[in-house]
Amino acid sequence: MTLSAFLILALVAVFIAFGIPMAPILALGGIVVFAFAFRFTEAFLYLAIFLTPLTGLRLVIPSGGLQLITRAFSDSIDIPIAEGVFLVLLAVWALKIFLYWRRRNDRQWEPIFPIWQSYGAFMLAHIASAFSPLLPDTSLVFKYAARPVLFCYLAFVALPVNLIRSRRRLVNALWMIAGIGTIAALNGLVSVFFTPGSFLSAAKPLAMFGLSALGENHNELAEVLVFTAPATLALSRFITVGRIRRVLEGLAVFQAMICLLTFTRTGWIVLGIEVALLALTIWRDAVRRNVRSLLMIGLLMMPLGVAMAVYSVSHEATSSNSTRLMLSEIALDLFKSSPWLGSGAGSFIDRVGSTQVFLIEYGAPLDSHGFVQKIMAETGIVGLLALAFLAFQLGQIAWKSIRSMRGSTYFAPYMMIAIGALGAVTYQLFNTGYWTGKMWLPIGIFLAATQVLKAPPRDNLPL
């Protein structure tokens, strides 16, 4: 596989050197990538999971003058590389469903569409917003309903559930998450000591090889770590070798500490919720046995808490509060203007851009800092009801699964995955990464774990 990939890259380089037009090269490249993904689907899935937090690594494909692409994506397609890999995997999955399930009646490839009832209602709410009395751009609404709303479900929720159908694949997926979480934490640790202009600073993503792969601010680092830390801890519960398990537990703690060092208030809140839930469930007996040690750790961490308190009253923090408050006020005004259908899916940034007070005060328009405010403003009461239905269905799945698995071998890792997914969702109640894999992939991994850990192990399913 490695040799073939090298030869293909060399051939593409020769084509470019001789000035051959890009369209045939891109077409050839697409065919080759699809063929590799068809043959090595499992490896491509793990690659996509590993790349998901690296939203700064982007794939830019020129439209080539094709009218369909130009109308949909302007001059070029610009998406994170991870989403490009997921898009290829979706095409491969669709073909394998046709070849193996429809034609051969292979039940292992029968498609599963989890939470389709609630997510379908959620998507319909976005489509219905096209009929808002605020007259949004209908084409924009339908485009937004397809990308990102439908895409996030198919790529980050349905695809993992359908491809992760064995305990082995779930463990391998967790290895990918633990790996990228460790890299992200190391990146944040380096930033603490080597940020230009200061010796010690808050942890944040640093550019790697000239690319801001993990994003550009501390919030983007923390939103990755609040899921990777519990996922790494869950992975340790599947490992029987004591030394490796202890290393993974240490890496989970390391990721959590770097999350605290980002000094993001959302990161602290979410991490606090996760630790509290773990302490009330699978760690309850350990907490009772080690009260004194935990109090000592709490005392040792007091300077970190003082530093957080100081940061919370800094100019940067108060300015962020002011920005979020005005964005919430704009969202509320849009909701009042069209309470049932909202202002139109995907229209929030444009509405902020037409608010002169915001532009004068804060500059460029921003998206809603909070998923609920976003849904409220763009899809109104209909969208909020659909979102509540979606949350209820996910909660019902978690509750039933936790009750059925209580006392089993997989109860602890399942709880950790579920709590990590809850943390990823909770983070987006205050942030802007709600239509990315950072929020929806944890949900997909949680639903895949629900399916795998409740059923008898099936570790030899072919891909």
Side-chain angles (χ1 to χ4, degrees), residues 75-118:
D75 294 331
S76 63
I77 300 173
D78 183 2
I79 58 174
I81 290 178
E83 293 188 7
V85 178
F86 271 113
L87 192 60
V88 173
L89 282 171
L90 283 173
V92 167
W93 177 46
L95 180 59
K96 288 193 172 186
I97 288 174
F98 174 75
L99 293 176
Y100 301 147
W101 179 56
R102 297 295 297 174
R103 299 191 66 178
R104 300 183 187 176
N105 198 28
D106 186 345
R107 304 294 291 181
Q108 294 175 352
W109 284 97
E110 181 178 1
I112 302 170
F113 295 101
I115 60 171
W116 66 269
Q117 303 95 329
S118 57

mmCIF file of all heavy atoms in Angstrom, residues 75-118:
data_model
loop_
_atom_site.group_PDB
_atom_site.id
_atom_site.type_symbol
_atom_site.label_atom_id
_atom_site.label_comp_id
_atom_site.label_asym_id
_atom_site.label_seq_id
_atom_site.Cartn_x
_atom_site.Cartn_y
_atom_site.Cartn_z
ATOM 1 N N ASP A 75 -15.613 29.366 -6.005
ATOM 2 C CA ASP A 75 -14.489 29.059 -6.890
ATOM 3 C C ASP A 75 -13.805 27.728 -6.566
ATOM 4 O O ASP A 75 -13.078 27.193 -7.399
ATOM 5 C CB ASP A 75 -13.443 30.184 -6.812
ATOM 6 C CG ASP A 75 -13.988 31.486 -7.378
ATOM 7 O OD1 ASP A 75 -14.857 31.411 -8.268
ATOM 8 O OD2 ASP A 75 -13.557 32.547 -6.909
ATOM 9 N N SER A 76 -13.987 27.224 -5.357
ATOM 10 C CA SER A 76 -13.312 25.985 -4.977
ATOM 11 C C SER A 76 -14.043 25.320 -3.820
ATOM 12 O O SER A 76 -14.837 25.945 -3.124
ATOM 13 C CB SER A 76 -11.858 26.258 -4.572
ATOM 14 O OG SER A 76 -11.825 27.094 -3.418
ATOM 15 N N ILE A 77 -13.759 24.025 -3.652
ATOM 16 C CA ILE A 77 -14.256 23.295 -2.489
ATOM 17 C C ILE A 77 -13.183 23.388 -1.405
ATOM 18 O O ILE A 77 -12.046 22.991 -1.615
ATOM 19 C CB ILE A 77 -14.523 21.816 -2.846
ATOM 20 C CG1 ILE A 77 -15.579 21.715 -3.955
ATOM 21 C CG2 ILE A 77 -14.959 21.037 -1.623
ATOM 22 C CD1 ILE A 77 -15.773 20.302 -4.474
ATOM 23 N N ASP A 78 -13.553 23.942 -0.269
ATOM 24 C CA ASP A 78 -12.601 24.139 0.832
ATOM 25 C C ASP A 78 -13.175 23.482 2.082
ATOM 26 O O ASP A 78 -14.077 24.026 2.721
ATOM 27 C CB ASP A 78 -12.364 25.634 1.050
ATOM 28 C CG ASP A 78 -11.327 25.901 2.140
ATOM 29 O OD1 ASP A 78 -10.779 24.927 2.690
ATOM 30 O OD2 ASP A 78 -11.075 27.085 2.444
ATOM 31 N N ILE A 79 -12.694 22.286 2.415
ATOM 32 C CA ILE A 79 -13.193 21.552 3.569
ATOM 33 C C ILE A 79 -12.015 20.966 4.343
ATOM 34 O O ILE A 79 -10.937 20.780 3.785
ATOM 35 C CB ILE A 79 -14.149 20.403 3.157
ATOM 36 C CG1 ILE A 79 -13.433 19.424 2.206
ATOM 37 C CG2 ILE A 79 -15.415 20.949 2.523
ATOM 38 C CD1 ILE A 79 -14.251 18.196 1.869
ATOM 39 N N PRO A 80 -12.209 20.668 5.644
ATOM 40 C CA PRO A 80 -11.154 19.954 6.379
ATOM 41 C C PRO A 80 -10.855 18.612 5.712
ATOM 42 O O PRO A 80 -11.761 17.955 5.183
ATOM 43 C CB PRO A 80 -11.760 19.772 7.773
ATOM 44 C CG PRO A 80 -12.778 20.850 7.901
ATOM 45 C CD PRO A 80 -13.334 21.039 6.525
ATOM 46 N N ILE A 81 -9.587 18.204 5.744
ATOM 47 C CA ILE A 81 -9.200 16.938 5.119
ATOM 48 C C ILE A 81 -9.994 15.778 5.712
ATOM 49 O O ILE A 81 -10.393 14.846 4.988
ATOM 50 C CB ILE A 81 -7.684 16.708 5.287
ATOM 51 C CG1 ILE A 81 -6.908 17.713 4.413
ATOM 52 C CG2 ILE A 81 -7.299 15.285 4.923
ATOM 53 C CD1 ILE A 81 -5.410 17.599 4.533
ATOM 54 N N ALA A 82 -10.253 15.818 7.009
ATOM 55 C CA ALA A 82 -11.018 14.739 7.645
ATOM 56 C C ALA A 82 -12.387 14.586 7.002
ATOM 57 O O ALA A 82 -12.857 13.464 6.755
ATOM 58 C CB ALA A 82 -11.173 15.015 9.144
ATOM 59 N N GLU A 83 -13.049 15.708 6.703
ATOM 60 C CA GLU A 83 -14.366 15.638 6.081
ATOM 61 C C GLU A 83 -14.263 15.079 4.667
ATOM 62 O O GLU A 83 -15.175 14.388 4.204
ATOM 63 C CB GLU A 83 -15.026 17.014 6.089
ATOM 64 C CG GLU A 83 -15.371 17.493 7.490
ATOM 65 C CD GLU A 83 -16.202 18.752 7.502
ATOM 66 O OE1 GLU A 83 -16.635 19.200 6.410
ATOM 67 O OE2 GLU A 83 -16.448 19.305 8.595
ATOM 68 N N GLY A 84 -13.164 15.376 3.988
ATOM 69 C CA GLY A 84 -12.946 14.790 2.670
ATOM 70 C C GLY A 84 -12.817 13.279 2.747
ATOM 71 O O GLY A 84 -13.384 12.545 1.921
ATOM 72 N N VAL A 85 -12.094 12.792 3.758
ATOM 73 C CA VAL A 85 -11.945 11.342 3.943
ATOM 74 C C VAL A 85 -13.294 10.714 4.287
ATOM 75 O O VAL A 85 -13.660 9.657 3.767
ATOM 76 C CB VAL A 85 -10.905 11.034 5.037
ATOM 77 C CG1 VAL A 85 -10.782 9.526 5.251
ATOM 78 C CG2 VAL A 85 -9.542 11.612 4.667
ATOM 79 N N PHE A 86 -14.052 11.374 5.144
ATOM 80 C CA PHE A 86 -15.378 10.862 5.493
ATOM 81 C C PHE A 86 -16.296 10.840 4.266
ATOM 82 O O PHE A 86 -17.120 9.931 4.112
ATOM 83 C CB PHE A 86 -16.014 11.712 6.595
ATOM 84 C CG PHE A 86 -15.680 11.256 7.990
ATOM 85 C CD1 PHE A 86 -14.894 12.041 8.821
ATOM 86 C CD2 PHE A 86 -16.157 10.048 8.471
ATOM 87 C CE1 PHE A 86 -14.590 11.629 10.107
ATOM 88 C CE2 PHE A 86 -15.857 9.624 9.758
ATOM 89 C CZ PHE A 86 -15.068 10.414 10.576
ATOM 90 N N LEU A 87 -16.166 11.839 3.407
ATOM 91 C CA LEU A 87 -16.980 11.884 2.190
ATOM 92 C C LEU A 87 -16.675 10.695 1.291
ATOM 93 O O LEU A 87 -17.590 10.057 0.739
ATOM 94 C CB LEU A 87 -16.721 13.194 1.446
ATOM 95 C CG LEU A 87 -17.684 13.555 0.312
ATOM 96 C CD1 LEU A 87 -19.109 13.680 0.829
ATOM 97 C CD2 LEU A 87 -17.253 14.861 -0.344
ATOM 98 N N VAL A 88 -15.402 10.368 1.146
ATOM 99 C CA VAL A 88 -15.008 9.183 0.364
ATOM 100 C C VAL A 88 -15.558 7.922 1.016
ATOM 101 O O VAL A 88 -16.081 7.025 0.336
ATOM 102 C CB VAL A 88 -13.479 9.112 0.235
ATOM 103 C CG1 VAL A 88 -13.054 7.805 -0.434
ATOM 104 C CG2 VAL A 88 -12.945 10.299 -0.577
ATOM 105 N N LEU A 89 -15.464 7.840 2.339
ATOM 106 C CA LEU A 89 -15.976 6.674 3.053
ATOM 107 C C LEU A 89 -17.486 6.518 2.883
ATOM 108 O O LEU A 89 -17.999 5.398 2.786
ATOM 109 C CB LEU A 89 -15.635 6.777 4.537
ATOM 110 C CG LEU A 89 -14.196 6.424 4.926
ATOM 111 C CD1 LEU A 89 -13.940 6.775 6.382
ATOM 112 C CD2 LEU A 89 -13.917 4.947 4.697
ATOM 113 N N LEU A 90 -18.200 7.639 2.839
ATOM 114 C CA LEU A 90 -19.646 7.572 2.608
ATOM 115 C C LEU A 90 -19.953 6.968 1.244
ATOM 116 O O LEU A 90 -20.873 6.141 1.114
ATOM 117 C CB LEU A 90 -20.259 8.972 2.720
ATOM 118 C CG LEU A 90 -20.457 9.525 4.133
ATOM 119 C CD1 LEU A 90 -20.916 10.980 4.073
ATOM 120 C CD2 LEU A 90 -21.481 8.691 4.897
ATOM 121 N N ALA A 91 -19.179 7.370 0.224
ATOM 122 C CA ALA A 91 -19.375 6.811 -1.113
ATOM 123 C C ALA A 91 -19.053 5.314 -1.134
ATOM 124 O O ALA A 91 -19.782 4.508 -1.737
ATOM 125 C CB ALA A 91 -18.508 7.561 -2.118
ATOM 126 N N VAL A 92 -17.978 4.929 -0.451
ATOM 127 C CA VAL A 92 -17.601 3.515 -0.368
ATOM 128 C C VAL A 92 -18.679 2.720 0.365
ATOM 129 O O VAL A 92 -19.071 1.613 -0.060
ATOM 130 C CB VAL A 92 -16.244 3.368 0.348
ATOM 131 C CG1 VAL A 92 -15.973 1.921 0.725
ATOM 132 C CG2 VAL A 92 -15.123 3.911 -0.527
ATOM 133 N N TRP A 93 -19.162 3.259 1.467
ATOM 134 C CA TRP A 93 -20.211 2.599 2.247
ATOM 135 C C TRP A 93 -21.468 2.379 1.401
ATOM 136 O O TRP A 93 -22.058 1.290 1.403
ATOM 137 C CB TRP A 93 -20.524 3.437 3.482
ATOM 138 C CG TRP A 93 -21.626 2.917 4.349
ATOM 139 C CD1 TRP A 93 -21.800 1.633 4.775
ATOM 140 C CD2 TRP A 93 -22.702 3.667 4.905
ATOM 141 N NE1 TRP A 93 -22.918 1.542 5.574
ATOM 142 C CE2 TRP A 93 -23.500 2.769 5.665
ATOM 143 C CE3 TRP A 93 -23.066 5.015 4.856
ATOM 144 C CZ2 TRP A 93 -24.640 3.191 6.353
ATOM 145 C CZ3 TRP A 93 -24.199 5.431 5.532
ATOM 146 C CH2 TRP A 93 -24.975 4.521 6.280
ATOM 147 N N ALA A 94 -21.868 3.416 0.656
ATOM 148 C CA ALA A 94 -23.055 3.295 -0.192
ATOM 149 C C ALA A 94 -22.872 2.188 -1.229
ATOM 150 O O ALA A 94 -23.788 1.384 -1.476
ATOM 151 C CB ALA A 94 -23.344 4.624 -0.870
ATOM 152 N N LEU A 95 -21.684 2.123 -1.845
ATOM 153 C CA LEU A 95 -21.428 1.095 -2.855
ATOM 154 C C LEU A 95 -21.417 -0.299 -2.227
ATOM 155 O O LEU A 95 -21.963 -1.259 -2.800
ATOM 156 C CB LEU A 95 -20.094 1.372 -3.556
ATOM 157 C CG LEU A 95 -19.697 0.374 -4.654
ATOM 158 C CD1 LEU A 95 -20.761 0.332 -5.754
ATOM 159 C CD2 LEU A 95 -18.335 0.748 -5.243
ATOM 160 N N LYS A 96 -20.811 -0.425 -1.045
ATOM 161 C CA LYS A 96 -20.762 -1.737 -0.392
ATOM 162 C C LYS A 96 -22.148 -2.188 0.070
ATOM 163 O O LYS A 96 -22.448 -3.394 0.065
ATOM 164 C CB LYS A 96 -19.785 -1.701 0.778
ATOM 165 C CG LYS A 96 -18.332 -1.650 0.324
ATOM 166 C CD LYS A 96 -17.361 -1.920 1.451
ATOM 167 C CE LYS A 96 -15.935 -2.049 0.919
ATOM 168 N NZ LYS A 96 -14.963 -2.440 1.944
ATOM 169 N N ILE A 97 -22.991 -1.242 0.456
ATOM 170 C CA ILE A 97 -24.371 -1.597 0.789
ATOM 171 C C ILE A 97 -25.046 -2.195 -0.440
ATOM 172 O O ILE A 97 -25.729 -3.225 -0.367
ATOM 173 C CB ILE A 97 -25.150 -0.357 1.289
ATOM 174 C CG1 ILE A 97 -24.674 0.039 2.693
ATOM 175 C CG2 ILE A 97 -26.654 -0.631 1.301
ATOM 176 C CD1 ILE A 97 -25.282 1.334 3.182
ATOM 177 N N PHE A 98 -24.850 -1.564 -1.597
ATOM 178 C CA PHE A 98 -25.461 -2.052 -2.840
ATOM 179 C C PHE A 98 -24.897 -3.418 -3.232
ATOM 180 O O PHE A 98 -25.648 -4.341 -3.575
ATOM 181 C CB PHE A 98 -25.231 -1.042 -3.959
ATOM 182 C CG PHE A 98 -25.699 -1.525 -5.308
ATOM 183 C CD1 PHE A 98 -27.049 -1.568 -5.624
ATOM 184 C CD2 PHE A 98 -24.782 -1.952 -6.264
ATOM 185 C CE1 PHE A 98 -27.485 -2.028 -6.852
ATOM 186 C CE2 PHE A 98 -25.200 -2.407 -7.504
ATOM 187 C CZ PHE A 98 -26.563 -2.444 -7.793
ATOM 188 N N LEU A 99 -23.580 -3.573 -3.150
ATOM 189 C CA LEU A 99 -22.949 -4.809 -3.607
ATOM 190 C C LEU A 99 -23.167 -5.972 -2.649
ATOM 191 O O LEU A 99 -23.426 -7.111 -3.081
ATOM 192 C CB LEU A 99 -21.448 -4.592 -3.801
ATOM 193 C CG LEU A 99 -21.024 -3.647 -4.930
ATOM 194 C CD1 LEU A 99 -19.518 -3.472 -4.931
ATOM 195 C CD2 LEU A 99 -21.504 -4.161 -6.286
ATOM 196 N N TYR A 100 -23.041 -5.697 -1.341
ATOM 197 C CA TYR A 100 -23.034 -6.780 -0.370
ATOM 198 C C TYR A 100 -24.395 -7.035 0.277
ATOM 199 O O TYR A 100 -24.751 -8.184 0.538
ATOM 200 C CB TYR A 100 -21.987 -6.524 0.713
ATOM 201 C CG TYR A 100 -20.583 -6.397 0.178
ATOM 202 C CD1 TYR A 100 -19.658 -5.561 0.779
ATOM 203 C CD2 TYR A 100 -20.184 -7.112 -0.942
ATOM 204 C CE1 TYR A 100 -18.357 -5.444 0.292
ATOM 205 C CE2 TYR A 100 -18.892 -7.001 -1.439
ATOM 206 C CZ TYR A 100 -17.995 -6.164 -0.833
ATOM 207 O OH TYR A 100 -16.717 -6.050 -1.327
ATOM 208 N N TRP A 101 -25.134 -5.966 0.568
ATOM 209 C CA TRP A 101 -26.428 -6.172 1.226
ATOM 210 C C TRP A 101 -27.547 -6.371 0.213
ATOM 211 O O TRP A 101 -28.282 -7.355 0.271
ATOM 212 C CB TRP A 101 -26.745 -4.985 2.145
ATOM 213 C CG TRP A 101 -28.074 -5.109 2.829
ATOM 214 C CD1 TRP A 101 -28.496 -6.140 3.620
ATOM 215 C CD2 TRP A 101 -29.147 -4.172 2.773
ATOM 216 N NE1 TRP A 101 -29.776 -5.910 4.073
ATOM 217 C CE2 TRP A 101 -30.213 -4.710 3.572
ATOM 218 C CE3 TRP A 101 -29.331 -2.942 2.151
ATOM 219 C CZ2 TRP A 101 -31.418 -4.050 3.749
ATOM 220 C CZ3 TRP A 101 -30.530 -2.274 2.330
ATOM 221 C CH2 TRP A 101 -31.562 -2.819 3.114
ATOM 222 N N ARG A 102 -27.663 -5.451 -0.740
ATOM 223 C CA ARG A 102 -28.766 -5.537 -1.704
ATOM 224 C C ARG A 102 -28.604 -6.715 -2.662
ATOM 225 O O ARG A 102 -29.576 -7.396 -2.986
ATOM 226 C CB ARG A 102 -28.868 -4.239 -2.490
ATOM 227 C CG ARG A 102 -29.190 -3.018 -1.649
ATOM 228 C CD ARG A 102 -30.561 -3.115 -1.033
ATOM 229 N NE ARG A 102 -31.612 -3.159 -2.020
ATOM 230 C CZ ARG A 102 -32.891 -3.364 -1.762
ATOM 231 N NH1 ARG A 102 -33.273 -3.575 -0.522
ATOM 232 N NH2 ARG A 102 -33.786 -3.386 -2.732
ATOM 233 N N ARG A 103 -27.376 -6.954 -3.118
ATOM 234 C CA ARG A 103 -27.185 -7.991 -4.132
ATOM 235 C C ARG A 103 -26.878 -9.359 -3.540
ATOM 236 O O ARG A 103 -27.294 -10.381 -4.073
ATOM 237 C CB ARG A 103 -26.076 -7.577 -5.101
ATOM 238 C CG ARG A 103 -26.396 -6.284 -5.859
ATOM 239 C CD ARG A 103 -25.433 -6.028 -6.981
ATOM 240 N NE ARG A 103 -25.543 -7.042 -8.032
ATOM 241 C CZ ARG A 103 -24.831 -7.032 -9.155
ATOM 242 N NH1 ARG A 103 -23.967 -6.051 -9.383
ATOM 243 N NH2 ARG A 103 -24.977 -7.978 -10.047
ATOM 244 N N ARG A 104 -26.123 -9.400 -2.419
ATOM 245 C CA ARG A 104 -25.745 -10.681 -1.818
ATOM 246 C C ARG A 104 -26.540 -11.006 -0.555
ATOM 247 O O ARG A 104 -26.353 -12.062 0.037
ATOM 248 C CB ARG A 104 -24.252 -10.682 -1.484
ATOM 249 C CG ARG A 104 -23.340 -10.480 -2.679
ATOM 250 C CD ARG A 104 -21.889 -10.583 -2.203
ATOM 251 N NE ARG A 104 -20.950 -10.230 -3.268
ATOM 252 C CZ ARG A 104 -19.635 -10.166 -3.091
ATOM 253 N NH1 ARG A 104 -19.112 -10.433 -1.891
ATOM 254 N NH2 ARG A 104 -18.835 -9.826 -4.094
ATOM 255 N N ASN A 105 -27.362 -10.048 -0.129
ATOM 256 C CA ASN A 105 -28.163 -10.221 1.089
ATOM 257 C C ASN A 105 -27.289 -10.504 2.310
ATOM 258 O O ASN A 105 -27.645 -11.295 3.192
ATOM 259 C CB ASN A 105 -29.183 -11.348 0.910
ATOM 260 C CG ASN A 105 -30.300 -11.257 1.946
ATOM 261 O OD1 ASN A 105 -30.621 -10.178 2.417
ATOM 262 N ND2 ASN A 105 -30.865 -12.395 2.299
ATOM 263 N N ASP A 106 -26.126 -9.843 2.366
ATOM 264 C CA ASP A 106 -25.213 -9.963 3.497
ATOM 265 C C ASP A 106 -25.716 -9.062 4.620
ATOM 266 O O ASP A 106 -25.620 -7.833 4.549
ATOM 267 C CB ASP A 106 -23.799 -9.559 3.063
ATOM 268 C CG ASP A 106 -22.772 -9.788 4.150
ATOM 269 O OD1 ASP A 106 -23.167 -9.981 5.323
ATOM 270 O OD2 ASP A 106 -21.567 -9.755 3.841
ATOM 271 N N ARG A 107 -26.253 -9.660 5.679
ATOM 272 C CA ARG A 107 -26.873 -8.884 6.763
ATOM 273 C C ARG A 107 -25.877 -8.008 7.512
ATOM 274 O O ARG A 107 -26.264 -7.051 8.174
ATOM 275 C CB ARG A 107 -27.538 -9.843 7.753
ATOM 276 C CG ARG A 107 -28.558 -10.788 7.144
ATOM 277 C CD ARG A 107 -29.775 -10.064 6.621
ATOM 278 N NE ARG A 107 -30.580 -9.503 7.689
ATOM 279 C CZ ARG A 107 -31.714 -8.837 7.485
ATOM 280 N NH1 ARG A 107 -32.152 -8.639 6.255
ATOM 281 N NH2 ARG A 107 -32.400 -8.343 8.504
ATOM 282 N N GLN A 108 -24.592 -8.341 7.417
ATOM 283 C CA GLN A 108 -23.577 -7.523 8.087
ATOM 284 C C GLN A 108 -23.482 -6.128 7.477
ATOM 285 O O GLN A 108 -22.934 -5.215 8.095
ATOM 286 C CB GLN A 108 -22.226 -8.225 8.018
ATOM 287 C CG GLN A 108 -22.170 -9.522 8.814
ATOM 288 C CD GLN A 108 -20.876 -10.262 8.635
ATOM 289 O OE1 GLN A 108 -20.049 -9.894 7.809
ATOM 290 N NE2 GLN A 108 -20.684 -11.318 9.403
ATOM 291 N N TRP A 109 -23.979 -5.975 6.266
ATOM 292 C CA TRP A 109 -23.935 -4.667 5.603
ATOM 293 C C TRP A 109 -25.298 -4.006 5.530
ATOM 294 O O TRP A 109 -25.472 -3.019 4.819
ATOM 295 C CB TRP A 109 -23.329 -4.809 4.205
ATOM 296 C CG TRP A 109 -21.851 -4.982 4.280
ATOM 297 C CD1 TRP A 109 -21.139 -6.144 4.245
ATOM 298 C CD2 TRP A 109 -20.889 -3.941 4.478
ATOM 299 N NE1 TRP A 109 -19.798 -5.899 4.389
ATOM 300 C CE2 TRP A 109 -19.609 -4.545 4.533
ATOM 301 C CE3 TRP A 109 -20.961 -2.560 4.606
ATOM 302 C CZ2 TRP A 109 -18.436 -3.818 4.710
ATOM 303 C CZ3 TRP A 109 -19.807 -1.826 4.784
ATOM 304 C CH2 TRP A 109 -18.554 -2.458 4.838
ATOM 305 N N GLU A 110 -26.263 -4.552 6.269
ATOM 306 C CA GLU A 110 -27.565 -3.883 6.331
ATOM 307 C C GLU A 110 -27.386 -2.538 7.047
ATOM 308 O O GLU A 110 -26.890 -2.486 8.168
ATOM 309 C CB GLU A 110 -28.567 -4.739 7.094
ATOM 310 C CG GLU A 110 -29.944 -4.114 7.164
ATOM 311 C CD GLU A 110 -30.936 -5.009 7.888
ATOM 312 O OE1 GLU A 110 -30.533 -6.103 8.350
ATOM 313 O OE2 GLU A 110 -32.108 -4.609 7.987
ATOM 314 N N PRO A 111 -27.772 -1.443 6.409
ATOM 315 C CA PRO A 111 -27.500 -0.127 7.008
ATOM 316 C C PRO A 111 -28.310 0.119 8.272
ATOM 317 O O PRO A 111 -29.461 -0.317 8.392
ATOM 318 C CB PRO A 111 -27.899 0.855 5.895
ATOM 319 C CG PRO A 111 -28.860 0.100 5.046
ATOM 320 C CD PRO A 111 -28.432 -1.342 5.100
ATOM 321 N N ILE A 112 -27.686 0.797 9.206
ATOM 322 C CA ILE A 112 -28.318 1.202 10.464
ATOM 323 C C ILE A 112 -28.348 2.727 10.496
ATOM 324 O O ILE A 112 -27.329 3.377 10.249
ATOM 325 C CB ILE A 112 -27.530 0.676 11.674
ATOM 326 C CG1 ILE A 112 -27.416 -0.850 11.624
ATOM 327 C CG2 ILE A 112 -28.171 1.122 12.986
ATOM 328 C CD1 ILE A 112 -26.447 -1.409 12.648
ATOM 329 N N PHE A 113 -29.499 3.289 10.796
ATOM 330 C CA PHE A 113 -29.625 4.747 10.887
ATOM 331 C C PHE A 113 -30.113 5.098 12.296
ATOM 332 O O PHE A 113 -31.312 5.199 12.545
ATOM 333 C CB PHE A 113 -30.577 5.283 9.819
ATOM 334 C CG PHE A 113 -30.072 5.083 8.419
ATOM 335 C CD1 PHE A 113 -30.548 4.044 7.635
ATOM 336 C CD2 PHE A 113 -29.092 5.907 7.898
ATOM 337 C CE1 PHE A 113 -30.069 3.838 6.355
ATOM 338 C CE2 PHE A 113 -28.603 5.718 6.610
ATOM 339 C CZ PHE A 113 -29.100 4.674 5.838
ATOM 340 N N PRO A 114 -29.168 5.263 13.231
ATOM 341 C CA PRO A 114 -29.554 5.537 14.616
ATOM 342 C C PRO A 114 -30.201 6.912 14.748
ATOM 343 O O PRO A 114 -29.947 7.818 13.941
ATOM 344 C CB PRO A 114 -28.216 5.472 15.357
ATOM 345 C CG PRO A 114 -27.198 5.872 14.322
ATOM 346 C CD PRO A 114 -27.716 5.296 13.032
ATOM 347 N N ILE A 115 -31.027 7.044 15.750
ATOM 348 C CA ILE A 115 -31.734 8.304 16.094
ATOM 349 C C ILE A 115 -32.313 9.004 14.867
ATOM 350 O O ILE A 115 -32.403 10.229 14.841
ATOM 351 C CB ILE A 115 -30.823 9.273 16.896
ATOM 352 C CG1 ILE A 115 -29.550 9.675 16.120
ATOM 353 C CG2 ILE A 115 -30.436 8.675 18.244
ATOM 354 C CD1 ILE A 115 -28.732 10.794 16.787
ATOM 355 N N TRP A 116 -32.719 8.223 13.844
ATOM 356 C CA TRP A 116 -33.188 8.849 12.611
ATOM 357 C C TRP A 116 -34.482 9.635 12.815
ATOM 358 O O TRP A 116 -34.727 10.638 12.125
ATOM 359 C CB TRP A 116 -33.386 7.795 11.515
ATOM 360 C CG TRP A 116 -34.482 6.797 11.784
ATOM 361 C CD1 TRP A 116 -34.369 5.595 12.402
ATOM 362 C CD2 TRP A 116 -35.865 6.938 11.441
ATOM 363 N NE1 TRP A 116 -35.586 4.967 12.488
ATOM 364 C CE2 TRP A 116 -36.530 5.768 11.897
ATOM 365 C CE3 TRP A 116 -36.606 7.932 10.809
ATOM 366 C CZ2 TRP A 116 -37.903 5.575 11.743
ATOM 367 C CZ3 TRP A 116 -37.970 7.745 10.649
ATOM 368 C CH2 TRP A 116 -38.609 6.578 11.103
ATOM 369 N N GLN A 117 -35.320 9.200 13.771
ATOM 370 C CA GLN A 117 -36.583 9.906 13.986
ATOM 371 C C GLN A 117 -36.339 11.351 14.441
ATOM 372 O O GLN A 117 -36.870 12.306 13.866
ATOM 373 C CB GLN A 117 -37.441 9.175 15.019
ATOM 374 C CG GLN A 117 -37.747 7.732 14.674
ATOM 375 C CD GLN A 117 -36.770 6.758 15.311
ATOM 376 O OE1 GLN A 117 -35.591 7.077 15.531
ATOM 377 N NE2 GLN A 117 -37.255 5.571 15.640
ATOM 378 N N SER A 118 -35.529 11.486 15.497
ATOM 379 C CA SER A 118 -35.296 12.826 16.044
ATOM 380 C C SER A 118 -34.418 13.665 15.125
ATOM 381 O O SER A 118 -34.656 14.859 14.937
ATOM 382 C CB SER A 118 -34.664 12.725 17.439
ATOM 383 O OG SER A 118 -33.457 11.990 17.399
#
